[in-house]
Amino acid sequence: MSEGFPETVVQARQRVSELLRQAGIDTPELDSRLLLQRVTGLAHAQLYLSGQQPLTASQRQQLDGLLARRLRREPMAYILGQRAFYDLELEVTPDVLVPRPETEALVEAAIAWGGQFARRAWAVDVGTGSGAIALALARHLSATMVAGLDISLDALRVAKRNAQRVDVTERVMLLNSDLLAALREPFALVCANLPYLPTAILTQRQPEVRDYEPRLALDGGTDGLVLIRRLCEMLPTRLAKRALVLLEIDQGQGETVSALLSAVRPGAQIRVLRDYAGYERVVRAEWL
């Protein structure tokens, strides 16, 4: 671009999209739009209406800095510092896993079941990270108190800020805990999106996951189920008589995790739920 002719919004978007495409990034058009919105402050529709608006020198410098980060395959959520999840807008930092749409299947199942309680009930989100699951439950289950647990203090700081953002601090308790170790009382609803990727598989994932997201939130050990297995061993003393457990899993883990939950307590009604792409995503175990 000639120094005498400032780059317009539409030209910048075309340039950024092409560079992202050449770098092998799957969503070049979306990413370029989000980056332009960040530096210009324009809404989605305004971005098109203001296509011939020239970028200022400051905006161009900021855009090129953000673009360089994305070309290094840093996740967009970390670059922008936020991520939409369910109906929440959450702060996201490299201290937490990027919330994913697939996890919304777990949230939907939890809300559908938890809505039956007219009196106060307790739910727990094990490995809360950014607080995505815990905060969605607190927002949509008005009679439910939610405990969000995480072994990472850095992650809990992010979850605390998100609880303030969503305005549910009065019904969310955030605790530093190795799985359920900090709790003694029984819970009616237990949700967990724990690390479930086998260590060897993790090394083969895309750079955004492998190189940037916290390994603590991804690495499930040799078979991917080390923490899920430990959690199931703790559940017998932490479940109310009537209870629901929802565990997020990877494709192909449904049968094994179902067996682990079946051994928790007799009488479990267990189903494997699939996400919108048709993959095994959540194991649902209910005791009536």
Side-chain angles (χ1 to χ4, degrees), residues 1 8 10 15 28 59 63 73 133 182-183 209 217 221 250 265:
M1 184 66 61
T8 65
V10 67
R15 173 176 65 87
Q59 288 173 333
L63 176 63
R73 304 302 290 266
I133 294 172
L183 303 178
V209 175
D250 202 8
R265 198 167 74 191

Side-chain angles (χ1 to χ4, degrees), residues 135 227 267:
L135 302 182
L227 286 176

Side-chain angles (χ1 to χ4, degrees), residues 249-267:
I249 61 168
D250 202 8
Q251 176 69 17
Q253 295 176 339
E255 184 177 352
T256 302
V257 175
S258 294
L260 291 172
L261 285 169
S262 180
V264 167
R265 198 167 74 191

Side-chain angles (χ1 to χ4, degrees), residues 141-206:
L141 298 175
S142 59
T144 299
M145 301 289 291
V146 185
L149 311 180
D150 208 292
I151 199 169
S152 167
L153 288 171
D154 291 329
L156 288 171
R157 292 185 186 99
V158 177
K160 181 179 180 180
R161 292 195 294 271
N162 279 325
Q164 293 167 343
R165 176 187 289 219
V166 179
D167 195 22
V168 292
T169 53
E170 293 183 356
R171 290 192 296 110
V172 175
M173 175 177 63
L174 298 169
L175 295 174
N176 183 221
S177 180
D178 180 9
L179 300 177
L180 295 170
L183 303 178
R184 292 292 178 267
E185 65 272 21
F187 283 74
L189 175 59
V190 176
C191 301
N193 178 16
L194 294 171
Y196 52 68
L197 291 178
T199 304
I201 297 297
L202 178 56
T203 63
Q204 302 170 19
R205 289 299 170 106
Q206 59 191 28

Side-chain angles (χ1 to χ4, degrees), residues 3-264:
E3 293 295 332
F5 297 93
E7 188 175 38
T8 65
V9 169
V10 67
Q11 289 170 336
R13 185 169 181 182
Q14 291 169 349
R15 173 176 65 87
V16 171
S17 294
E18 182 57 29
L19 289 171
L20 293 174
R21 186 176 295 106
Q22 290 174 5
I25 290 172
D26 292 338
T27 54
E29 296 293 337
L30 173 62
D31 291 3
S32 64
R33 172 173 67 80
L34 293 174
L35 293 177
L36 261 297
Q37 285 184 248
R38 169 54 58 91
V39 302
T40 63
L42 296 172
H44 188 182
Q46 292 176 317
L47 204 63
Y48 291 96
L49 296 174
S50 304
Q52 298 308 313
Q53 174 181 310
L55 294 181
T56 66
S58 175
Q59 288 173 333
R60 173 67 182 266
Q61 183 178 25
Q62 184 184 3
L63 176 63
D64 288 348
L66 297 179
L67 174 60
R69 293 171 64 183
R70 187 66 185 109
L71 290 173
R72 292 193 294 267
R73 304 302 290 266
E74 184 176 349
M76 282 294 296
Y78 295 157
I79 295 172
L80 300 177
Q82 61 187 36
R83 176 76 170 216
F85 176 80
Y86 209 61
D87 58 353
L88 310 176
E89 192 70 38
L90 300 174
E91 176 188 341
V92 176
T93 78
D95 293 315
V96 300
L97 192 72
V98 176
R100 289 163 166 77
E102 304 91 274
T103 304
E104 295 181 4
L106 185 154
V107 171
E108 289 172 354
I111 291 173
W113 188 84
Q116 67 188 289
F117 293 103
R119 296 182 179 181
R120 194 178 80 169
W122 273 95
V124 60
D125 173 24
V126 188
T128 195
S130 65
I133 294 172
L135 302 182
L137 296 184
R139 168 172 276 189
H140 290 276
L141 298 175
S142 59
T144 299
M145 301 289 291
V146 185
L149 311 180
D150 208 292
I151 199 169
S152 167
L153 288 171
D154 291 329
L156 288 171
R157 292 185 186 99
V158 177
K160 181 179 180 180
R161 292 195 294 271
N162 279 325
Q164 293 167 343
R165 176 187 289 219
V166 179
D167 195 22
V168 292
T169 53
E170 293 183 356
R171 290 192 296 110
V172 175
M173 175 177 63
L174 298 169
L175 295 174
N176 183 221
S177 180
D178 180 9
L179 300 177
L180 295 170
L183 303 178
R184 292 292 178 267
E185 65 272 21
F187 283 74
L189 175 59
V190 176
C191 301
N193 178 16
L194 294 171
Y196 52 68
L197 291 178
T199 304
I201 297 297
L202 178 56
T203 63
Q204 302 170 19
R205 289 299 170 106
Q206 59 191 28
E208 286 86 345
V209 175
R210 183 190 66 228
D211 299 337
Y212 286 95
E213 295 196 73
R215 195 177 187 91
L216 184 67
L218 291 166
D219 192 342
T222 303
D223 66 351
L225 299 176
V226 170
L227 286 176
I228 290 176
R229 193 174 288 109
R230 282 186 56 216
L231 175 63
C232 289
E233 292 170 354
M234 302 173 82
L235 284 174
T237 59
R238 306 312 204 286
L239 288 180
K241 182 177 180 181
R242 184 180 183 188
L244 179 71
V245 175
L246 295 164
L247 303 181
E248 182 164 337
I249 61 168
D250 202 8
Q251 176 69 17
Q253 295 176 339
E255 184 177 352
T256 302
V257 175
S258 294
L260 291 172
L261 285 169
S262 180
V264 167

